[in-house]
Amino acid sequence: MAELLHLSLSKFTFTFNSTITKTKRDSTRPRKLNLGPIRCVLSEENRKTLVKNGKDSLDICRVVNGMWQTSGGWGRIDQDNATDAMLKYADAGLTTFDMADIYGPAEDLYGIFINRVRRERPPEFLEKIRGLTKWVPPPVKMTSSYVRESINVSRKRMDVASLDMLQFHWWDYSNPGYLDALKHLTDLKEEGKIKTVALTNFDTERLQIILENKIPIVSNQVQHSIVDMRPQQKMAELLMGGLLSEKFLDTNLSIPFAGPSLNTPSLQKYRRMVDAWGGWSQFQVLLKTLKKVASKHGVSIPTVAVRYILDQPAVAGSMIGVRLGLSDHIQESNAVFSLVLDNDDVNSIQEISKKGKDLLRVIGDCGDEYRR
C-alpha cells in the first residue's frame, strides 16, 4: 500500500464548463465569456467520463494510469514485466494510460502493450483501451511539417494510426508559436491522425487565448490536489502527488534518516509544493485528517485524496502513476470508485486545506511551476 504514494495525486485531466471566466488584462474583475460546448459527462457507473468539445470527444477511465515513472528515477523498468503489468491494469478495468514523448520508453511500451491486446484480447476489449500522450517540443518555429513529423514519431512508437489524445505543452509564453502548433495539431486531427487535442500545464490566460482562437481543446492536464487547489480558483470558473500516503504520516524530515526518503523526482517535486503550502508540520495535520477519514471508510489515505479531487468541479479524471513491473495497486485504484465521502468528511478536509497558503499567490497559475 505504501507504494501508492507514487501514484496518488500527481496530475489531473481537468475539463471545463462551457462558460469560462475571462479576466481583462487591465482589470482583475472577471467577466463571463461563452467559449463553446466544452463538457465533462460522467458515465452511469461513475468509472468513465466523456471529455467533449463540440464534435470532438473521448471517453476515458476516471482513474488514469500515469507512466511518468517509466522515465527513470523510480527503478529499472523491464519491458516484458511492464507490458504484463499494463495488461493487468487493463483487465482490472483501468484502461486509460497517460504518457509523453519525453517519458523515456513510455510510448514504446504502449506500442508493445497495444499489440499484445490486439493478439491476446477480443476486439471489443481493444475498443476500451485509451492511450493519451503529450508532446513537449522545444520552442522552435512551429511549421506544419515540423508538427506533422513530431506527431508521426509518437504514432509510430505507440503503433497506432490515430492518437486518442495529444496533450500539448509549451515552455515559453513569450513565444506565441504555441498557437501555430495547436492549429497544425487541429489540422492533423481533421486528417484523422489525432482523435482529440488537449493541453498540459497551461495557465488560465493562455487557455482563454487558445479557446478564443476556436481551437477545440477538450482538456488541460494540470497539477491539482488537496494542497494545490489552484485549478479551482481561476480555471474552474473560465494535481501534490505521492506524499499523500500513510508512509509519510507521523514523520519528521528534520531528523536525518528518521523516515522514508524523498528519493524520486515526483516526491522531490511534491515536497516543494508542501513547503510552499505550509510546511511539513502543517502537512502532518492534513495527513492525520485524511487518515481519520480513511479509517472511517476502511480505505487508505491516497484513496481518500484521489476521491476528494475527483469530486471537485470540472475534474474529469485523476492520474495515478504506475511503477510497471515493480509494484501494482490495482485494488487500491479501484477502491476510489466505490468510496463516497459524506459532508463531515468533506468539511474536515476543507477546513485543514484552507489553512495552507494560497499557491496561486505563492507560485502563480497552473503550470507556472514549470516556467520559473
Side-chain angles (χ1 to χ4, degrees), residues 185-198:
L185 289 173
T186 301
D187 290 339
L188 291 174
K189 179 184 67 67
E190 295 300 322
E191 293 177 19
K193 303 295 192 303
I194 302 170
K195 294 177 183 176
T196 54
V197 177

Side-chain angles (χ1 to χ4, degrees), residues 243-262:
L243 294 179
L244 289 170
S245 164
E246 280 83 355
K247 185 173 182 177
F248 290 96
L249 180 62
D250 295 325
T251 60
N252 186 347
L253 295 188
S254 65
I255 303 175
F257 311 111
S261 59
L262 305 182

Side-chain angles (χ1 to χ4, degrees), residues 217-235:
I217 299 302
V218 299
S219 70
N220 183 23
Q221 185 188 121
V222 294
Q223 183 168 277
H224 188 188
S225 75
I226 297 172
V227 167
D228 187 357
M229 297 295 286
R230 286 175 296 166
Q232 295 297 328
Q233 296 182 57
K234 292 177 68 174
M235 202 165 283

Side-chain angles (χ1 to χ4, degrees), residues 131-299:
L132 322 179
T133 195
K134 305 180 193 73
W135 180 40
V136 188
V140 298
K141 187 173 179 60
M142 293 289 114
T143 64
S144 176
S145 60
Y146 180 80
V147 175
R148 182 179 297 272
E149 290 169 5
S150 299
I151 298 312
N152 282 341
V153 171
S154 288
R155 290 172 58 227
K156 183 177 180 180
R157 292 179 69 188
M158 295 173 66
D159 200 8
V160 293
S162 180
L163 301 175
D164 289 328
M165 180 183 286
L166 191 286
Q167 301 166 101
F168 175 65
H169 176 86
W170 191 249
W171 292 106
D172 182 11
Y173 290 146
S174 67
N175 181 341
Y178 65 90
L179 287 173
D180 295 324
L182 285 165
K183 289 173 182 176
H184 295 317
L185 289 173
T186 301
D187 290 339
L188 291 174
K189 179 184 67 67
E190 295 300 322
E191 293 177 19
K193 303 295 192 303
I194 302 170
K195 294 177 183 176
T196 54
V197 177
L199 305 173
T200 181
N201 294 312
F202 270 77
D203 67 6
T204 307
E205 180 181 349
R206 255 55 59 162
L207 175 65
Q208 291 170 351
I209 293 171
I210 289 165
L211 293 174
E212 287 167 355
N213 277 268
K214 301 189 184 304
I215 297 170
I217 299 302
V218 299
S219 70
N220 183 23
Q221 185 188 121
V222 294
Q223 183 168 277
H224 188 188
S225 75
I226 297 172
V227 167
D228 187 357
M229 297 295 286
R230 286 175 296 166
Q232 295 297 328
Q233 296 182 57
K234 292 177 68 174
M235 202 165 283
E237 295 179 5
L238 176 39
L239 241 186
M240 178 130 156
L243 294 179
L244 289 170
S245 164
E246 280 83 355
K247 185 173 182 177
F248 290 96
L249 180 62
D250 295 325
T251 60
N252 186 347
L253 295 188
S254 65
I255 303 175
F257 311 111
S261 59
L262 305 182
N263 57 359
T264 69
S266 55
L267 292 179
Q268 293 163 8
K269 170 187 173 183
Y270 305 136
R271 169 64 193 277
R272 292 192 293 271
M273 304 306 293
V274 165
D275 290 342
W277 175 70
W280 197 254
S281 296
Q282 182 72 9
F283 182 63
Q284 286 299 309
V285 179
L286 172 61
L287 286 181
K288 290 175 182 177
T289 300
L290 294 175
K291 180 61 177 177
K292 182 177 180 180
V293 175
S295 297
K296 170 182 170 181
H297 293 281
V299 297

Side-chain angles (χ1 to χ4, degrees), residues 4-45:
L4 193 56
L5 63 93
H6 293 285
L7 321 179
S8 57
L9 284 172
S10 59
K11 292 273 194 153
F12 295 86
T13 300
F14 190 84
T15 60
F16 308 90
N17 296 325
S18 59
T19 302
I20 309 278
T21 296
K22 180 178 180 181
T23 304
K24 298 179 182 178
R25 289 177 176 81
D26 60 351
S27 172
T28 58
R29 175 173 291 184
R31 66 181 177 87
K32 295 295 184 181
L33 176 68
N34 187 11
L35 293 172
I38 303 176
R39 291 288 186 268
C40 169
V41 183
L42 293 180
S43 64
E44 289 184 5
E45 69 276 16

